[in-house]
Amino acid sequence: MHKPHEPSAVREKPGRALLARARAAALLIATAFRADARRALLVLVLAPVVGGCGVVSGLAIRQATDAALRHDFGAALTAAVLLVAAVVTTYTAGALVSVLRIHLQQRVGLLLDRRLMELTGGIPTLTHHEHPDYLDRMELLRTHRGELGGAFGALVENLRALFGLGTTLALLVTVHPALLTLPLFALPTVFAAHRGSVLIGRAEGESAERERLRRALLELSCSPAAAREIRVYGLADELTRRHDALQDTVRRARDRADTRAAVWSGGGWLVFATGYLGGVLLSLIAVARGEGTPGDVVLTLVLGAQLLGSVSGLVALGSWLQHALRAAGHFLWLSDHAALPENSPARPGADPAPPPGPGAELVLDHVSFTYPGTRHPVLDDVCLRVPAGTVIALVGENGAGKTTLVKLLCRLYEPTSGTISYGGEDIATLDVGAWRGALTACFQDFQRFELTLRTAVGLGDLPRADVTDAVTGALARGGGAGLPGQLPHGLDTQLGPTFPGGVDLSTGQWQQTAMSRTTMRERPALLILDEPTASLDAASEHELFARYTAAARASRTPPVTVLVSHRFATVRAADLIVVLEGQGVREAGSHPELMARDGLYAELYRLGTRGNS
Ligand SMILES: Nc1ncnc2c1ncn2[C@@H]1O[C@H](COP(=O)(O)OP(=O)(O)OP(=O)(O)O)[C@@H](O)[C@H]1O
């Protein structure tokens, strides 16, 4: 199992890093072309042109200097016109490149955001949420998401700077071949910047898990849901202390990396400054010996300064590019992860069958399940046969595995061994989307969708989400018939305090929207009710479940209804009661059968109803 203080697997193997960067660059260029092919092409052509303009300016300055010293007015004027043209092109084309770059950056960022939603939402099970690697990558992606958008811009700017550097060097050679060695003095600067960026990236990777925990504490402290308990238990200071401790370790690790990166960078610049000084001396000596013109000295000074600008620009841009490519690399990791066979909605090689229609038998055949990353099975060798139309209640102490069984039925996890079949078909071989479309479920920790009441209920059956009769029918079945009348704009009331004019509901009212959402699908094969009514009183819960089960039983194609509840007044009405204990089924039968057996159920029942007798 992953230990909190182990270095994260986010760290890259050096051999693979180059390939990963190349893939990331290809992803950015391809996304830019998908976003806007014409502008992407224009910016990729214009960027080198702008980069090369600096050299034209240098040539014009040399020409103007020598012509002025010769008192050649015509040649000096031509050089001046060339200089102005080069400067104007640099600024106008440069401005155009910047505008295009920003436009494309935004489009690329939006496309990648959208893809990110597809990737995270498209993984059919919840298993990936158990992987520390996945969580760490997501944390890094969240932190550096902004850089993803800017990544294409980093590529363009590097292209411009690289072209500028190349042409500057080509011209320096014409002054003195030895000046070609000048870039060698720039190499330590580039290496130092790369080294610094690697150190910073490594520190970020290694502290990603602590940073994720820090952020979780921050979110917890700001969460309205946690606000009451934080105050009642006086947790604010403790949360802040834990947050600060994590922040300190993260900051220390990152500060250490920043300092080491700065030392590398300073050393690199010192080497370059020495080379530049040597280059200028060389051209001065050449003029003193009559081997060059004063224009050459001016050119060396101008190009040397330009080289300095190009190299420093390239170094800064290079580290921008490194960060951007690293962010794109996290994105690619996620993309690869989502493409793994176990994360694919369809099993490889299988042609998923549609699920059998409602009104069929549900069978659990030797089902075992262990949560990923853990050792002990939560369910072990569970066998159950549930005929069509049965209302089955799952009972057991906290942690007995009731919700886990429900998650397996919804295919949010796959059994570690054994099969679950419906109508004779192993549900693992069915199309996962179609299987989920055939069931409906209300969970203990249901979602409070901050939408209009109509949509919050209607999205229980998306194709009919806007059909008023369908929504009001679902509200009636789900115990929320009175809700529209209690809200200022009826079905069209915006729910939730986040939105302007949004109305917050009581816990019971939120529960009614969730229960109503569950009844939007009219002919489900499987109806799952996993303690969604915990905050209703026992009598209301009993009445609601009685209504649900009566409607289910009256259907011509009755679903299997799976009920999880700790309330025995509700449970006793089920056709089949399954008591889970010690990873398996301890007892199963109807209420009279189990009471006659006088086993665990009878004991729990007596305990659960003692207060009511
Ligand atoms: N995502 C998870 N990763 C690892 N273990 C988990 C996970 N979810 C649940 N468990 C463990 O599985 C066991 C069964 O949990 P489950 O939620 O199924 O119990 P339950 O019977 O529904 O409990 P309750 O009545 O409290 O809702 C518990 O020991 C729990 O700690």
Side-chain angles (χ1 to χ4, degrees):
M1 223 182 111
H2 186 84
K3 297 190 199 86
H5 297 296
E6 278 176 352
S8 163
V10 167
R11 194 166 162 166
E12 270 172 347
K13 289 193 181 114
R16 294 214 182 138
L18 202 63
L19 185 66
R21 299 284 185 272
R23 269 189 79 202
L27 166 82
L28 293 172
I29 292 174
T31 312
F33 272 87
R34 200 143 28 92
D36 192 333
R38 244 170 1 112
R39 285 190 169 95
L41 186 65
L42 190 60
V43 86
L44 288 174
V45 169
L46 274 183
V49 171
V50 175
C53 278
V55 164
V56 180
S57 307
L59 275 174
I61 289 173
R62 173 168 71 177
Q63 171 95 353
T65 308
D66 289 341
L69 287 172
R70 288 197 313 271
H71 302 291
D72 182 348
F73 179 73
L77 187 63
T78 311
V81 169
L82 190 64
L83 180 62
V84 169
V87 170
V88 168
T89 308
T90 304
Y91 284 100
T92 49
L96 184 59
V97 166
S98 294
V99 169
L100 291 173
R101 170 173 70 73
I102 290 166
H103 166 84
L104 280 165
Q105 263 175 228
Q106 286 166 348
R107 297 285 304 272
V108 168
L110 288 173
L111 271 183
L112 292 179
D113 274 358
R114 196 174 163 281
R115 182 80 189 114
L116 195 60
M117 283 177 77
E118 280 174 5
L119 283 176
T120 49
I123 300 178
T125 70
L126 303 182
T127 312
H128 56 294
H129 285 293
E130 318 285 339
H131 282 289
D133 260 11
Y134 173 87
L135 298 174
D136 290 349
R137 290 278 181 171
M138 280 307 285
E139 174 59 31
L140 288 171
L141 252 182
R142 251 194 298 273
T143 315
H144 296 291
R145 211 192 50 76
E147 286 165 23
L148 255 187
F152 179 72
L155 265 181
V156 170
E157 289 304 313
N158 271 273
L159 188 65
R160 165 153 71 174
L162 256 181
F163 210 77
L165 180 68
T167 46
T168 303
L169 285 176
L171 201 57
L172 270 175
V173 167
T174 65
V175 177
H176 196 297
L179 289 177
L180 198 60
T181 56
L182 210 48
L184 290 181
F185 289 89
L187 282 183
T189 334
V190 177
F191 176 75
H194 169 74
R195 186 81 205 122
S197 167
V198 167
L199 288 171
I200 291 169
R202 190 173 295 164
E204 279 183 356
E206 287 176 358
S207 54
E209 184 174 283
R210 287 188 196 90
E211 176 61 12
R212 173 159 58 79
L213 298 177
R214 183 196 71 78
R215 214 178 266 262
L217 284 179
L218 177 68
E219 277 162 18
L220 183 69
S221 301
C222 304
S223 139
R228 273 169 298 178
E229 292 202 36
I230 289 175
R231 278 155 187 76
V232 167
Y233 297 122
L235 300 179
D237 288 346
E238 177 61 16
L239 287 176
T240 310
R241 191 188 62 72
R242 290 183 184 214
H243 170 273
D244 290 352
L246 284 166
Q247 180 172 269
D248 281 353
T249 17
V250 170
R251 191 86 346 265
R252 264 201 303 277
R254 297 192 179 179
D255 283 353
R256 241 189 337 264
D258 283 348
T259 310
R260 289 170 67 191
V263 170
W264 274 98
S265 168
W269 280 113
L270 212 62
V271 176
F272 181 76
T274 312
Y276 180 43
L277 193 66
V280 173
L281 279 175
L282 207 65
S283 64
L284 278 172
I285 291 168
V287 175
R289 286 182 179 163
E291 291 164 5
T293 67
D296 285 340
V297 180
V298 175
L299 184 64
T300 308
L301 282 167
V302 170
L303 291 185
Q306 254 174 33
L307 189 72
L308 198 67
S310 290
V311 172
S312 66
L314 211 58
V315 167
L317 291 170
S319 100
W320 178 23
L321 186 65
Q322 286 258 14
H323 277 94
L325 291 183
R326 200 175 303 122
H330 298 317
F331 182 89
L332 280 170
W333 183 92
L334 193 66
S335 179
D336 291 345
H337 184 76
L340 290 174
E342 65 264 30
N343 291 329
S344 159
R347 290 279 168 103
D351 184 12
E361 185 182 53
L362 179 75
V363 177
L364 277 76
D365 188 16
H366 299 286
V367 170
S368 298
F369 179 69
T370 305
Y371 276 102
T374 66
R375 290 216 188 108
H376 302 292
V378 172
L379 296 173
D380 189 19
D381 204 32
V382 172
C383 294
L384 282 174
R385 181 170 292 276
V386 190
T390 304
V391 176
I392 166 176
L394 300 178
V395 184
E397 292 177 345
N398 295 123
K402 305 179 291 293
T403 297
T404 303
L405 191 51
V406 162
K407 289 185 205 162
L408 294 181
L409 292 174
C410 297
R411 286 191 60 193
L412 296 173
Y413 293 93
E414 301 288 357
T416 317
S417 63
T419 55
I420 301 175
S421 54
Y422 180 76
E425 297 282 348
D426 178 357
I427 64 168
T429 63
L430 303 174
D431 175 82
V432 68
W435 171 244
R436 296 216 184 112
L439 57 87
T440 184
C442 197
F443 297 103
Q444 198 173 3
D445 45 358
F446 56 83
Q447 184 59 39
R448 298 176 180 210
F449 287 106
E450 296 197 357
L451 305 161
T452 61
L453 174 63
R454 178 194 301 279
T455 317
V457 171
L459 50 76
D461 189 15
L462 265 185
R464 297 189 307 138
D466 290 329
V467 180
T468 302
D469 284 350
V471 174
T472 49
L475 278 164
R477 289 188 292 277
L483 254 182
Q486 296 162 13
L487 299 173
H489 305 292
L491 281 181
D492 296 311
T493 305
Q494 169 69 49
L495 304 183
T498 311
F499 294 91
V503 176
D504 200 5
L505 301 182
S506 70
T507 306
Q509 287 173 321
W510 277 116
Q511 236 165 26
Q512 286 168 352
T513 61
M515 291 289 277
S516 304
R517 186 160 60 242
T518 310
T519 64
M520 274 296 289
R521 287 185 180 156
E522 285 182 315
R523 291 180 62 237
L526 200 59
L527 166 62
I528 294 171
L529 304 167
D530 181 1
E531 284 192 83
T533 51
S535 61
L536 294 187
D537 59 67
S540 309
E541 180 188 280
H542 178 63
E543 189 203 325
L544 194 64
F545 281 136
R547 197 163 55 232
Y548 260 57
T549 47
R553 283 178 178 133
S555 164
R556 272 189 295 119
T557 50
V560 167
T561 305
V562 180
L563 179 68
V564 178
S565 175
H566 288 282
R567 300 238 177 86
F568 285 88
T570 308
V571 168
R572 63 174 292 169
D575 304 313
L576 174 65
I577 298 164
V578 174
V579 186
L580 291 176
E581 197 209 36
Q583 296 107 42
V585 176
R586 166 87 175 258
E587 291 171 0
S590 66
H591 174 75
E593 285 166 2
L594 294 178
M595 289 306 287
R597 188 180 294 176
D598 200 19
L600 179 60
Y601 174 79
E603 188 189 329
L604 291 173
Y605 181 81
R606 281 192 290 270
L607 284 172
T609 53
R610 187 178 289 162
N612 303 330
S613 57

